[in-house]
Amino acid sequence: QVQLQESGPGLVKPSQTLSLTCTVSGGSISSGDYYWSWIRQPPGKGLEWIGYIYYSGSTYYNPSLKSRVTISVDTSKNQFSLKLSSVTAADTAVYYCARDYRGYFQHWGQGTLVTVSS
Amino acid sequence: EIVLTQSPATLSLSPGERATLSCRASQSVSSYLAWYQQKPGQAPRLLIYDASNRATGIPARFSGSGSGTDFTLTISSLEPEDFAVYYCQQRSNWPSSFGPGTKVDIK
């Protein structure tokens, strides 16, 4: 059974870059069947899809965040990562990584809360 | 971007009752719609994909229907563990988008 686990700082200062990593276990990130996504949820609010990456490195980002987002993959470590630049308080959220099969998210990490504050 | 609206915002029901949740899309998403359940402090759980297909391990009391712009999630008889927030999600057009959620709480 595939498992995903997010890791990274829980506190980021305004204007800095948020960096998170998702480690995948129980399955290979290089499987051609899946895409690997980041999704976030501000406290008490709904879900926002951030973007995805394929094992080859091809990406697609939500246009609302595209100018600030970079998603990368390290197949040797079975990990993929998120960088979000120039953060503000509005980027405070629980960040989830998820396995994307045909555009649906069946497997999720537990989520990690990132707070943007000085 | 396709906007999804969900109604009602909150549904107050008793265990054993039938729950009917609605999701409407701003334009047709064909059958490319999913439903998720989220409990406090947990990640969402995929219930239904392609509008009417139950995901692995999902009980038969959950069913989905609809196509185009109007979709319904039905829980035939609420169990105590079903009280949660439910989100719909479309994957017809990128970026993928989620509805604002319907909270099903205990009456």
mmCIF file of all heavy atoms in Angstrom, chain B residues 71-101:
data_model
loop_
_atom_site.group_PDB
_atom_site.id
_atom_site.type_symbol
_atom_site.label_atom_id
_atom_site.label_comp_id
_atom_site.label_asym_id
_atom_site.label_seq_id
_atom_site.Cartn_x
_atom_site.Cartn_y
_atom_site.Cartn_z
ATOM 1 N N PHE B 71 -24.639 17.051 -10.102
ATOM 2 C CA PHE B 71 -24.203 15.793 -9.510
ATOM 3 C C PHE B 71 -24.762 15.665 -8.092
ATOM 4 O O PHE B 71 -25.008 16.660 -7.409
ATOM 5 C CB PHE B 71 -22.680 15.722 -9.462
ATOM 6 C CG PHE B 71 -22.048 15.818 -10.813
ATOM 7 C CD1 PHE B 71 -21.772 17.055 -11.389
ATOM 8 C CD2 PHE B 71 -21.744 14.671 -11.533
ATOM 9 C CE1 PHE B 71 -21.203 17.150 -12.643
ATOM 10 C CE2 PHE B 71 -21.181 14.747 -12.784
ATOM 11 C CZ PHE B 71 -20.915 15.992 -13.349
ATOM 12 N N THR B 72 -24.925 14.418 -7.675
ATOM 13 C CA THR B 72 -25.462 14.126 -6.349
ATOM 14 C C THR B 72 -24.654 13.017 -5.692
ATOM 15 O O THR B 72 -24.313 12.019 -6.336
ATOM 16 C CB THR B 72 -26.931 13.686 -6.447
ATOM 17 O OG1 THR B 72 -27.705 14.738 -7.042
ATOM 18 C CG2 THR B 72 -27.505 13.386 -5.068
ATOM 19 N N LEU B 73 -24.355 13.212 -4.418
ATOM 20 C CA LEU B 73 -23.814 12.152 -3.569
ATOM 21 C C LEU B 73 -24.920 11.769 -2.594
ATOM 22 O O LEU B 73 -25.476 12.631 -1.907
ATOM 23 C CB LEU B 73 -22.584 12.620 -2.799
ATOM 24 C CG LEU B 73 -22.029 11.630 -1.762
ATOM 25 C CD1 LEU B 73 -21.397 10.420 -2.465
ATOM 26 C CD2 LEU B 73 -21.003 12.300 -0.851
ATOM 27 N N THR B 74 -25.218 10.489 -2.530
ATOM 28 C CA THR B 74 -26.241 9.995 -1.623
ATOM 29 C C THR B 74 -25.625 9.021 -0.629
ATOM 30 O O THR B 74 -24.859 8.129 -1.026
ATOM 31 C CB THR B 74 -27.365 9.289 -2.404
ATOM 32 O OG1 THR B 74 -27.962 10.206 -3.330
ATOM 33 C CG2 THR B 74 -28.454 8.793 -1.452
ATOM 34 N N ILE B 75 -25.944 9.227 0.635
ATOM 35 C CA ILE B 75 -25.590 8.263 1.674
ATOM 36 C C ILE B 75 -26.913 7.667 2.123
ATOM 37 O O ILE B 75 -27.758 8.374 2.700
ATOM 38 C CB ILE B 75 -24.842 8.920 2.846
ATOM 39 C CG1 ILE B 75 -23.688 9.792 2.321
ATOM 40 C CG2 ILE B 75 -24.314 7.851 3.803
ATOM 41 C CD1 ILE B 75 -23.028 10.643 3.385
ATOM 42 N N SER B 76 -27.118 6.395 1.859
ATOM 43 C CA SER B 76 -28.454 5.816 1.994
ATOM 44 C C SER B 76 -28.938 5.766 3.438
ATOM 45 O O SER B 76 -30.128 5.973 3.715
ATOM 46 C CB SER B 76 -28.485 4.411 1.387
ATOM 47 O OG SER B 76 -27.545 3.572 2.026
ATOM 48 N N SER B 77 -28.044 5.494 4.355
ATOM 49 C CA SER B 77 -28.415 5.419 5.773
ATOM 50 C C SER B 77 -27.183 5.813 6.580
ATOM 51 O O SER B 77 -26.200 5.066 6.618
ATOM 52 C CB SER B 77 -28.867 4.001 6.128
ATOM 53 O OG SER B 77 -29.177 3.910 7.519
ATOM 54 N N LEU B 78 -27.229 6.974 7.191
ATOM 55 C CA LEU B 78 -26.041 7.532 7.846
ATOM 56 C C LEU B 78 -25.584 6.688 9.032
ATOM 57 O O LEU B 78 -26.368 6.361 9.936
ATOM 58 C CB LEU B 78 -26.324 8.960 8.308
ATOM 59 C CG LEU B 78 -26.288 10.032 7.223
ATOM 60 C CD1 LEU B 78 -26.965 11.302 7.710
ATOM 61 C CD2 LEU B 78 -24.860 10.323 6.782
ATOM 62 N N GLU B 79 -24.303 6.353 9.010
ATOM 63 C CA GLU B 79 -23.653 5.717 10.142
ATOM 64 C C GLU B 79 -22.957 6.809 10.964
ATOM 65 O O GLU B 79 -22.656 7.893 10.435
ATOM 66 C CB GLU B 79 -22.634 4.692 9.652
ATOM 67 C CG GLU B 79 -23.243 3.530 8.886
ATOM 68 C CD GLU B 79 -24.005 2.567 9.781
ATOM 69 O OE1 GLU B 79 -23.758 2.579 11.020
ATOM 70 O OE2 GLU B 79 -24.844 1.821 9.277
ATOM 71 N N PRO B 80 -22.686 6.557 12.237
ATOM 72 C CA PRO B 80 -22.031 7.594 13.068
ATOM 73 C C PRO B 80 -20.731 8.114 12.472
ATOM 74 O O PRO B 80 -20.416 9.298 12.621
ATOM 75 C CB PRO B 80 -21.782 6.854 14.389
ATOM 76 C CG PRO B 80 -22.857 5.820 14.438
ATOM 77 C CD PRO B 80 -23.067 5.376 13.021
ATOM 78 N N GLU B 81 -19.991 7.251 11.780
ATOM 79 C CA GLU B 81 -18.699 7.665 11.213
ATOM 80 C C GLU B 81 -18.843 8.488 9.934
ATOM 81 O O GLU B 81 -17.840 8.957 9.383
ATOM 82 C CB GLU B 81 -17.823 6.438 10.944
ATOM 83 C CG GLU B 81 -18.381 5.444 9.944
ATOM 84 C CD GLU B 81 -19.188 4.327 10.591
ATOM 85 O OE1 GLU B 81 -19.765 4.576 11.668
ATOM 86 O OE2 GLU B 81 -19.228 3.217 10.006
ATOM 87 N N ASP B 82 -20.061 8.687 9.441
ATOM 88 C CA ASP B 82 -20.266 9.430 8.200
ATOM 89 C C ASP B 82 -20.400 10.934 8.424
ATOM 90 O O ASP B 82 -20.439 11.696 7.444
ATOM 91 C CB ASP B 82 -21.519 8.936 7.471
ATOM 92 C CG ASP B 82 -21.428 7.472 7.066
ATOM 93 O OD1 ASP B 82 -20.285 6.966 6.937
ATOM 94 O OD2 ASP B 82 -22.480 6.843 6.876
ATOM 95 N N PHE B 83 -20.467 11.368 9.672
ATOM 96 C CA PHE B 83 -20.613 12.798 9.936
ATOM 97 C C PHE B 83 -19.248 13.452 9.708
ATOM 98 O O PHE B 83 -18.272 13.193 10.410
ATOM 99 C CB PHE B 83 -21.178 13.025 11.330
ATOM 100 C CG PHE B 83 -22.608 12.554 11.431
ATOM 101 C CD1 PHE B 83 -22.905 11.268 11.857
ATOM 102 C CD2 PHE B 83 -23.654 13.388 11.040
ATOM 103 C CE1 PHE B 83 -24.221 10.815 11.910
ATOM 104 C CE2 PHE B 83 -24.971 12.947 11.098
ATOM 105 C CZ PHE B 83 -25.250 11.653 11.522
ATOM 106 N N ALA B 84 -19.204 14.304 8.693
ATOM 107 C CA ALA B 84 -17.934 14.813 8.175
ATOM 108 C C ALA B 84 -18.248 15.915 7.155
ATOM 109 O O ALA B 84 -19.408 16.263 6.940
ATOM 110 C CB ALA B 84 -17.156 13.687 7.501
ATOM 111 N N VAL B 85 -17.189 16.429 6.520
ATOM 112 C CA VAL B 85 -17.339 17.377 5.426
ATOM 113 C C VAL B 85 -17.098 16.632 4.115
ATOM 114 O O VAL B 85 -16.173 15.799 4.027
ATOM 115 C CB VAL B 85 -16.365 18.554 5.559
ATOM 116 C CG1 VAL B 85 -16.531 19.526 4.388
ATOM 117 C CG2 VAL B 85 -16.607 19.291 6.874
ATOM 118 N N TYR B 86 -17.917 16.938 3.123
ATOM 119 C CA TYR B 86 -17.827 16.283 1.819
ATOM 120 C C TYR B 86 -17.521 17.324 0.736
ATOM 121 O O TYR B 86 -18.171 18.365 0.674
ATOM 122 C CB TYR B 86 -19.123 15.543 1.503
ATOM 123 C CG TYR B 86 -19.341 14.373 2.428
ATOM 124 C CD1 TYR B 86 -19.899 14.561 3.696
ATOM 125 C CD2 TYR B 86 -18.944 13.087 2.071
ATOM 126 C CE1 TYR B 86 -20.060 13.485 4.578
ATOM 127 C CE2 TYR B 86 -19.105 12.024 2.920
ATOM 128 C CZ TYR B 86 -19.657 12.226 4.169
ATOM 129 O OH TYR B 86 -19.804 11.164 5.039
ATOM 130 N N TYR B 87 -16.527 17.016 -0.086
ATOM 131 C CA TYR B 87 -16.126 17.899 -1.170
ATOM 132 C C TYR B 87 -16.313 17.192 -2.514
ATOM 133 O O TYR B 87 -16.035 15.991 -2.631
ATOM 134 C CB TYR B 87 -14.643 18.274 -1.052
ATOM 135 C CG TYR B 87 -14.287 19.094 0.154
ATOM 136 C CD1 TYR B 87 -13.791 18.501 1.307
ATOM 137 C CD2 TYR B 87 -14.422 20.484 0.138
ATOM 138 C CE1 TYR B 87 -13.440 19.263 2.414
ATOM 139 C CE2 TYR B 87 -14.076 21.251 1.242
ATOM 140 C CZ TYR B 87 -13.600 20.630 2.368
ATOM 141 O OH TYR B 87 -13.264 21.395 3.471
ATOM 142 N N CYS B 88 -16.746 17.961 -3.512
ATOM 143 C CA CYS B 88 -16.689 17.448 -4.870
ATOM 144 C C CYS B 88 -15.462 18.052 -5.563
ATOM 145 O O CYS B 88 -14.929 19.093 -5.128
ATOM 146 C CB CYS B 88 -17.967 17.746 -5.650
ATOM 147 S SG CYS B 88 -18.479 19.480 -5.756
ATOM 148 N N GLN B 89 -15.001 17.387 -6.614
ATOM 149 C CA GLN B 89 -13.796 17.795 -7.342
ATOM 150 C C GLN B 89 -13.982 17.442 -8.812
ATOM 151 O O GLN B 89 -14.446 16.348 -9.129
ATOM 152 C CB GLN B 89 -12.558 17.069 -6.805
ATOM 153 C CG GLN B 89 -11.283 17.341 -7.575
ATOM 154 C CD GLN B 89 -10.585 16.082 -8.076
ATOM 155 O OE1 GLN B 89 -10.866 14.964 -7.620
ATOM 156 N NE2 GLN B 89 -9.661 16.235 -9.010
ATOM 157 N N GLN B 90 -13.607 18.357 -9.705
ATOM 158 C CA GLN B 90 -13.688 18.060 -11.137
ATOM 159 C C GLN B 90 -12.297 17.933 -11.725
ATOM 160 O O GLN B 90 -11.371 18.642 -11.320
ATOM 161 C CB GLN B 90 -14.511 19.138 -11.866
ATOM 162 C CG GLN B 90 -13.889 20.526 -11.917
ATOM 163 C CD GLN B 90 -12.827 20.694 -13.000
ATOM 164 O OE1 GLN B 90 -12.785 19.960 -13.971
ATOM 165 N NE2 GLN B 90 -11.942 21.680 -12.818
ATOM 166 N N ARG B 91 -12.136 17.016 -12.658
ATOM 167 C CA ARG B 91 -10.860 16.842 -13.344
ATOM 168 C C ARG B 91 -11.070 16.938 -14.874
ATOM 169 O O ARG B 91 -10.254 16.492 -15.646
ATOM 170 C CB ARG B 91 -10.217 15.510 -12.973
ATOM 171 C CG ARG B 91 -11.114 14.322 -13.195
ATOM 172 C CD ARG B 91 -10.467 13.234 -13.951
ATOM 173 N NE ARG B 91 -10.313 13.564 -15.374
ATOM 174 C CZ ARG B 91 -9.936 12.732 -16.314
ATOM 175 N NH1 ARG B 91 -9.656 11.491 -16.001
ATOM 176 N NH2 ARG B 91 -9.828 13.085 -17.555
ATOM 177 N N SER B 92 -12.184 17.534 -15.250
ATOM 178 C CA SER B 92 -12.470 17.659 -16.678
ATOM 179 C C SER B 92 -11.559 18.676 -17.348
ATOM 180 O O SER B 92 -11.043 18.441 -18.446
ATOM 181 C CB SER B 92 -13.934 18.071 -16.874
ATOM 182 O OG SER B 92 -14.207 18.313 -18.232
ATOM 183 N N ASN B 93 -11.404 19.817 -16.700
ATOM 184 C CA ASN B 93 -10.550 20.890 -17.214
ATOM 185 C C ASN B 93 -9.512 21.233 -16.163
ATOM 186 O O ASN B 93 -9.830 21.357 -14.982
ATOM 187 C CB ASN B 93 -11.386 22.147 -17.489
ATOM 188 C CG ASN B 93 -12.148 22.037 -18.795
ATOM 189 O OD1 ASN B 93 -12.385 20.946 -19.292
ATOM 190 N ND2 ASN B 93 -12.524 23.175 -19.340
ATOM 191 N N TRP B 94 -8.267 21.413 -16.617
ATOM 192 C CA TRP B 94 -7.243 21.850 -15.666
ATOM 193 C C TRP B 94 -7.219 23.372 -15.619
ATOM 194 O O TRP B 94 -7.411 24.020 -16.632
ATOM 195 C CB TRP B 94 -5.886 21.281 -16.063
ATOM 196 C CG TRP B 94 -5.876 19.806 -15.889
ATOM 197 C CD1 TRP B 94 -6.131 18.863 -16.846
ATOM 198 C CD2 TRP B 94 -5.691 19.078 -14.669
ATOM 199 N NE1 TRP B 94 -6.090 17.610 -16.287
ATOM 200 C CE2 TRP B 94 -5.829 17.709 -14.958
ATOM 201 C CE3 TRP B 94 -5.417 19.458 -13.349
ATOM 202 C CZ2 TRP B 94 -5.680 16.715 -13.979
ATOM 203 C CZ3 TRP B 94 -5.279 18.474 -12.395
ATOM 204 C CH2 TRP B 94 -5.409 17.123 -12.716
ATOM 205 N N PRO B 95 -7.042 24.005 -14.435
ATOM 206 C CA PRO B 95 -6.705 23.310 -13.197
ATOM 207 C C PRO B 95 -7.893 22.581 -12.587
ATOM 208 O O PRO B 95 -9.027 23.056 -12.650
ATOM 209 C CB PRO B 95 -6.253 24.434 -12.286
ATOM 210 C CG PRO B 95 -7.051 25.613 -12.745
ATOM 211 C CD PRO B 95 -7.157 25.452 -14.234
ATOM 212 N N SER B 96 -7.595 21.449 -11.982
ATOM 213 C CA SER B 96 -8.604 20.758 -11.220
ATOM 214 C C SER B 96 -9.110 21.684 -10.123
ATOM 215 O O SER B 96 -8.367 22.530 -9.624
ATOM 216 C CB SER B 96 -7.982 19.507 -10.597
ATOM 217 O OG SER B 96 -8.938 18.797 -9.845
ATOM 218 N N SER B 97 -10.379 21.538 -9.751
ATOM 219 C CA SER B 97 -10.936 22.404 -8.722
ATOM 220 C C SER B 97 -11.877 21.622 -7.811
ATOM 221 O O SER B 97 -12.428 20.588 -8.201
ATOM 222 C CB SER B 97 -11.674 23.589 -9.352
ATOM 223 O OG SER B 97 -12.615 23.154 -10.312
ATOM 224 N N PHE B 98 -12.022 22.155 -6.604
ATOM 225 C CA PHE B 98 -12.869 21.549 -5.586
ATOM 226 C C PHE B 98 -14.035 22.482 -5.263
ATOM 227 O O PHE B 98 -13.911 23.706 -5.362
ATOM 228 C CB PHE B 98 -12.078 21.326 -4.288
ATOM 229 C CG PHE B 98 -10.992 20.285 -4.386
ATOM 230 C CD1 PHE B 98 -9.721 20.634 -4.830
ATOM 231 C CD2 PHE B 98 -11.224 18.971 -4.021
ATOM 232 C CE1 PHE B 98 -8.703 19.689 -4.910
ATOM 233 C CE2 PHE B 98 -10.221 18.008 -4.090
ATOM 234 C CZ PHE B 98 -8.960 18.377 -4.544
ATOM 235 N N GLY B 99 -15.133 21.897 -4.824
ATOM 236 C CA GLY B 99 -16.223 22.686 -4.286
ATOM 237 C C GLY B 99 -15.911 23.129 -2.865
ATOM 238 O O GLY B 99 -14.931 22.668 -2.268
ATOM 239 N N PRO B 100 -16.739 24.017 -2.317
ATOM 240 C CA PRO B 100 -16.488 24.566 -0.978
ATOM 241 C C PRO B 100 -16.844 23.612 0.155
ATOM 242 O O PRO B 100 -16.499 23.876 1.313
ATOM 243 C CB PRO B 100 -17.376 25.804 -0.934
ATOM 244 C CG PRO B 100 -18.477 25.480 -1.888
ATOM 245 C CD PRO B 100 -17.870 24.660 -2.974
ATOM 246 N N GLY B 101 -17.533 22.535 -0.147
ATOM 247 C CA GLY B 101 -17.831 21.522 0.868
ATOM 248 C C GLY B 101 -19.237 21.604 1.432
ATOM 249 O O GLY B 101 -19.862 22.670 1.455
#
